[in-house]
Amino acid sequence: MRRREFITLVAGAAAAWPLVARAQQAAMPVIGFLNSQSRQDWSHATTAFLQSLGNAGYVEGRNVVIEYRFANKRFDQLPALAADLVRRKVAVIVASGGDASARAAKAATDTIPIVFSVGGDPVTTGFVASLARPGGNATGVTLITAELELKRLEFLREAVPSLTSVALLADPDNPRFADDTKTVREAAQSMGLQVHVLTGRNGSEIDTAFATLAQRRIDGLLVMSDPLMISERDRLVALAARHAIPAIYQNRELPAAGGLMGYGTSFQGVYHQLGVIAARILKGAKPADIPVEQPTRIELVINLKTARALGLTVPPTLLARADEVIE
């Protein structure tokens, strides 16, 4: 090959390479990741999601693109963020961080597949036709929070036999606020407990709720399931310690951070499930044919160090039922 022909060939290949790379990138499937919270607070969840995708053969930046849209706890931003993902023509929307994200995604599209995580019954809310056969463009994981709240109340009373009053701390902006607090209030009253419903939409309001809790000398606290309460876990644990309030939370992350007890699903496990379902859809499965899943593991975690600091002696029968005891 002559020198000039060789140079021309090399130059042509170099010029064509960016076009090829862009074409390959454009050919990658795009996942829209919609979440009501902040990326920083939800980093543990996104990590589990990415690991699950990787196990299924999808690696971000290599053969899949992920468009992240975090509302940073501003629920009113979710519809616009969902609409933006629809305009982006993503292959699937993963709507996480509570029922509000799923509702925004469903309102934005009835054609793009949606993988959701919700706390309530997705049939009752209209997200799917049935758990076994969703029948539309959405499927995902339901966390069955109402049932878990009642079990948390039972565990709290067992851990604190002298309990006569209990506070329920919940985010009033949560779509399930009214139904879930009503259910738990009625159950607590049937146990002979005085019930106080306290609300918190942000850190400042949570501070105020704890001040009220201390002022009323309430015996125990049930922190209701909500993405906000996961984001504010360090604040919650610190306030409960400062006011010496026995509290039970929605999963192991809080007792691991110093809270007394947690009962519920593993957040990492839920986001692993979301990754599995999203990968199935990328490989051609239809949401209508993928059953809605429930958590694969529900665990009771007790922090004995915190119990001792509160002056509590956790009954041996309760310790024996714990999946994990933190010394």
CSV table of all heavy atoms in Angstrom, one decimal, residues 273-297:
chain,number,residue,atom,x,y,z
A,273,GLN,N,-34.7,-6.6,43.5
A,273,GLN,CA,-35.9,-7.2,42.8
A,273,GLN,C,-36.2,-6.2,41.6
A,273,GLN,O,-36.6,-6.7,40.5
A,273,GLN,CB,-37.1,-7.3,43.7
A,273,GLN,CG,-36.9,-8.4,44.7
A,273,GLN,CD,-38.1,-8.5,45.7
A,273,GLN,OE1,-38.0,-7.9,46.8
A,273,GLN,NE2,-39.1,-9.2,45.4
A,274,LEU,N,-36.2,-4.9,41.8
A,274,LEU,CA,-36.5,-4.0,40.8
A,274,LEU,C,-35.5,-4.2,39.6
A,274,LEU,O,-35.9,-4.1,38.4
A,274,LEU,CB,-36.4,-2.5,41.3
A,274,LEU,CG,-37.5,-2.1,42.3
A,274,LEU,CD1,-37.3,-0.7,42.7
A,274,LEU,CD2,-38.9,-2.3,41.8
A,275,GLY,N,-34.3,-4.4,39.9
A,275,GLY,CA,-33.3,-4.6,38.8
A,275,GLY,C,-33.5,-5.9,38.0
A,275,GLY,O,-33.4,-5.9,36.8
A,276,VAL,N,-33.9,-6.9,38.7
A,276,VAL,CA,-34.2,-8.2,38.1
A,276,VAL,C,-35.4,-8.0,37.1
A,276,VAL,O,-35.4,-8.4,35.9
A,276,VAL,CB,-34.6,-9.3,39.1
A,276,VAL,CG1,-35.2,-10.5,38.4
A,276,VAL,CG2,-33.3,-9.6,39.9
A,277,ILE,N,-36.5,-7.3,37.5
A,277,ILE,CA,-37.6,-7.1,36.7
A,277,ILE,C,-37.3,-6.2,35.5
A,277,ILE,O,-37.7,-6.5,34.4
A,277,ILE,CB,-38.8,-6.5,37.5
A,277,ILE,CG1,-39.2,-7.5,38.6
A,277,ILE,CG2,-40.0,-6.2,36.6
A,277,ILE,CD1,-40.2,-6.9,39.6
A,278,ALA,N,-36.5,-5.1,35.8
A,278,ALA,CA,-36.2,-4.2,34.7
A,278,ALA,C,-35.4,-5.0,33.6
A,278,ALA,O,-35.6,-4.8,32.4
A,278,ALA,CB,-35.4,-3.0,35.2
A,279,ALA,N,-34.5,-5.8,34.0
A,279,ALA,CA,-33.6,-6.6,33.1
A,279,ALA,C,-34.5,-7.5,32.3
A,279,ALA,O,-34.3,-7.7,31.1
A,279,ALA,CB,-32.6,-7.4,33.8
A,280,ARG,N,-35.5,-8.1,32.9
A,280,ARG,CA,-36.4,-9.0,32.1
A,280,ARG,C,-37.1,-8.2,31.0
A,280,ARG,O,-37.3,-8.7,29.9
A,280,ARG,CB,-37.4,-9.7,33.1
A,280,ARG,CG,-36.9,-10.7,34.0
A,280,ARG,CD,-38.0,-11.3,34.9
A,280,ARG,NE,-39.0,-12.0,34.0
A,280,ARG,CZ,-40.1,-12.5,34.5
A,280,ARG,NH1,-40.3,-12.4,35.8
A,280,ARG,NH2,-40.9,-13.1,33.7
A,281,ILE,N,-37.5,-7.0,31.4
A,281,ILE,CA,-38.2,-6.2,30.4
A,281,ILE,C,-37.3,-5.8,29.2
A,281,ILE,O,-37.7,-5.8,28.0
A,281,ILE,CB,-38.9,-5.0,31.0
A,281,ILE,CG1,-40.0,-5.4,31.9
A,281,ILE,CG2,-39.3,-4.0,30.0
A,281,ILE,CD1,-40.6,-4.3,32.8
A,282,LEU,N,-36.1,-5.5,29.6
A,282,LEU,CA,-35.1,-5.1,28.5
A,282,LEU,C,-34.8,-6.3,27.6
A,282,LEU,O,-34.5,-6.2,26.4
A,282,LEU,CB,-33.8,-4.7,29.1
A,282,LEU,CG,-33.8,-3.4,29.9
A,282,LEU,CD1,-32.4,-3.1,30.4
A,282,LEU,CD2,-34.2,-2.2,29.0
A,283,LYS,N,-35.0,-7.5,28.1
A,283,LYS,CA,-34.8,-8.7,27.3
A,283,LYS,C,-36.0,-9.2,26.6
A,283,LYS,O,-36.0,-10.2,25.9
A,283,LYS,CB,-34.3,-9.9,28.2
A,283,LYS,CG,-32.9,-9.6,28.8
A,283,LYS,CD,-32.4,-10.7,29.7
A,283,LYS,CE,-31.0,-10.5,30.2
A,283,LYS,NZ,-30.6,-11.5,31.2
A,284,GLY,N,-37.1,-8.4,26.7
A,284,GLY,CA,-38.3,-8.7,25.9
A,284,GLY,C,-39.6,-9.0,26.6
A,284,GLY,O,-40.6,-9.2,26.0
A,285,ALA,N,-39.5,-9.3,27.9
A,285,ALA,CA,-40.7,-9.6,28.7
A,285,ALA,C,-41.6,-8.4,28.7
A,285,ALA,O,-41.2,-7.3,28.7
A,285,ALA,CB,-40.3,-10.1,30.1
A,286,LYS,N,-42.9,-8.7,28.9
A,286,LYS,CA,-43.9,-7.7,28.9
A,286,LYS,C,-44.4,-7.5,30.4
A,286,LYS,O,-44.6,-8.5,31.1
A,286,LYS,CB,-45.2,-8.0,28.1
A,286,LYS,CG,-44.9,-8.3,26.6
A,286,LYS,CD,-44.3,-7.0,25.9
A,286,LYS,CE,-44.1,-7.3,24.5
A,286,LYS,NZ,-43.4,-6.1,23.8
A,287,PRO,N,-44.5,-6.2,30.9
A,287,PRO,CA,-45.0,-6.0,32.2
A,287,PRO,C,-46.3,-6.7,32.5
A,287,PRO,O,-46.5,-7.2,33.7
A,287,PRO,CB,-45.1,-4.5,32.3
A,287,PRO,CG,-44.2,-3.9,31.2
A,287,PRO,CD,-44.3,-5.0,30.1
A,288,ALA,N,-47.2,-6.7,31.6
A,288,ALA,CA,-48.5,-7.3,31.8
A,288,ALA,C,-48.4,-8.8,32.2
A,288,ALA,O,-49.3,-9.3,32.8
A,288,ALA,CB,-49.3,-7.2,30.5
A,289,ASP,N,-47.3,-9.4,31.8
A,289,ASP,CA,-47.1,-10.9,32.1
A,289,ASP,C,-46.2,-11.2,33.3
A,289,ASP,O,-46.0,-12.3,33.6
A,289,ASP,CB,-46.6,-11.6,30.8
A,289,ASP,CG,-47.5,-11.4,29.6
A,289,ASP,OD1,-48.7,-11.4,29.8
A,289,ASP,OD2,-47.0,-11.3,28.5
A,290,ILE,N,-45.7,-10.1,33.9
A,290,ILE,CA,-44.7,-10.3,35.0
A,290,ILE,C,-45.5,-10.1,36.3
A,290,ILE,O,-45.9,-8.9,36.6
A,290,ILE,CB,-43.5,-9.4,34.9
A,290,ILE,CG1,-42.8,-9.6,33.6
A,290,ILE,CG2,-42.6,-9.6,36.1
A,290,ILE,CD1,-41.6,-8.6,33.4
A,291,PRO,N,-45.7,-11.1,37.2
A,291,PRO,CA,-46.5,-10.9,38.4
A,291,PRO,C,-45.8,-9.8,39.3
A,291,PRO,O,-44.6,-9.7,39.4
A,291,PRO,CB,-46.4,-12.3,39.1
A,291,PRO,CG,-46.2,-13.2,37.9
A,291,PRO,CD,-45.3,-12.5,37.0
A,292,VAL,N,-46.6,-9.1,40.0
A,292,VAL,CA,-46.1,-8.2,41.0
A,292,VAL,C,-45.6,-9.0,42.2
A,292,VAL,O,-46.2,-10.0,42.7
A,292,VAL,CB,-47.3,-7.3,41.6
A,292,VAL,CG1,-46.8,-6.4,42.7
A,292,VAL,CG2,-47.8,-6.4,40.4
A,293,GLU,N,-44.4,-8.6,42.6
A,293,GLU,CA,-43.7,-9.4,43.6
A,293,GLU,C,-43.9,-8.8,45.0
A,293,GLU,O,-44.2,-7.6,45.1
A,293,GLU,CB,-42.2,-9.5,43.3
A,293,GLU,CG,-41.9,-10.2,42.0
A,293,GLU,CD,-40.4,-10.3,41.8
A,293,GLU,OE1,-39.6,-9.9,42.7
A,293,GLU,OE2,-40.0,-10.8,40.7
A,294,GLN,N,-43.7,-9.6,46.0
A,294,GLN,CA,-43.6,-9.1,47.4
A,294,GLN,C,-42.2,-9.3,47.9
A,294,GLN,O,-41.4,-10.0,47.3
A,294,GLN,CB,-44.6,-9.8,48.3
A,294,GLN,CG,-46.1,-9.5,47.9
A,294,GLN,CD,-47.0,-10.1,48.9
A,294,GLN,OE1,-46.7,-10.7,49.9
A,294,GLN,NE2,-48.3,-9.9,48.6
A,295,PRO,N,-41.8,-8.6,49.0
A,295,PRO,CA,-40.4,-8.8,49.5
A,295,PRO,C,-40.1,-10.2,49.7
A,295,PRO,O,-40.9,-11.0,50.2
A,295,PRO,CB,-40.4,-8.0,50.8
A,295,PRO,CG,-41.5,-7.0,50.6
A,295,PRO,CD,-42.6,-7.7,49.8
A,296,THR,N,-38.8,-10.6,49.4
A,296,THR,CA,-38.4,-11.9,49.5
A,296,THR,C,-38.0,-12.2,51.0
A,296,THR,O,-37.8,-13.4,51.4
A,296,THR,CB,-37.2,-12.2,48.6
A,296,THR,OG1,-36.2,-11.3,48.8
A,296,THR,CG2,-37.6,-12.1,47.1
A,297,ARG,N,-37.7,-11.2,51.8
A,297,ARG,CA,-37.3,-11.3,53.1
A,297,ARG,C,-37.8,-10.2,54.0
A,297,ARG,O,-37.7,-9.0,53.7
A,297,ARG,CB,-35.7,-11.4,53.2
A,297,ARG,CG,-35.2,-11.6,54.6
A,297,ARG,CD,-33.7,-11.7,54.5
A,297,ARG,NE,-33.0,-11.7,55.9
A,297,ARG,CZ,-33.0,-12.8,56.7
A,297,ARG,NH1,-33.5,-13.9,56.3
A,297,ARG,NH2,-32.4,-12.7,57.8
